[in-house]
Amino acid sequence: MISSHQDKGDQEDLMLIQYKYRREQFLGELKEKLQELNINPTDLVAT
């Protein structure tokens, strides 16, 4: 969804701003949960 809104070229697009905000919130929560499980982001790299 983010890329489809970025393609419009309007950096003040409300939906784009909201999607980016939600992505950052989700990634922050995911990072916390992974740390609780002693999992580092580098442990998740696909080989």
Side-chain angles (χ1 to χ4, degrees):
M1 293 303 296
I2 291 174
S3 63
S4 67
H5 282 274
Q6 283 178 328
D7 291 343
K8 295 179 185 177
D10 181 8
Q11 292 300 314
E12 294 183 19
D13 179 359
L14 183 58
M15 293 299 290
L16 176 61
I17 294 167
Q18 289 177 341
Y19 284 130
K20 285 182 174 182
Y21 174 79
R22 287 182 181 212
R23 177 182 62 186
E24 292 303 315
Q25 293 296 311
F26 172 76
L27 291 176
E29 291 176 24
L30 179 59
K31 184 178 177 182
E32 288 177 17
K33 296 297 180 188
L34 290 174
Q35 286 176 343
E36 290 174 7
L37 298 170
N38 294 323
I39 299 174
N40 294 317
T42 55
D43 296 338
L44 303 175
V45 175
T47 57

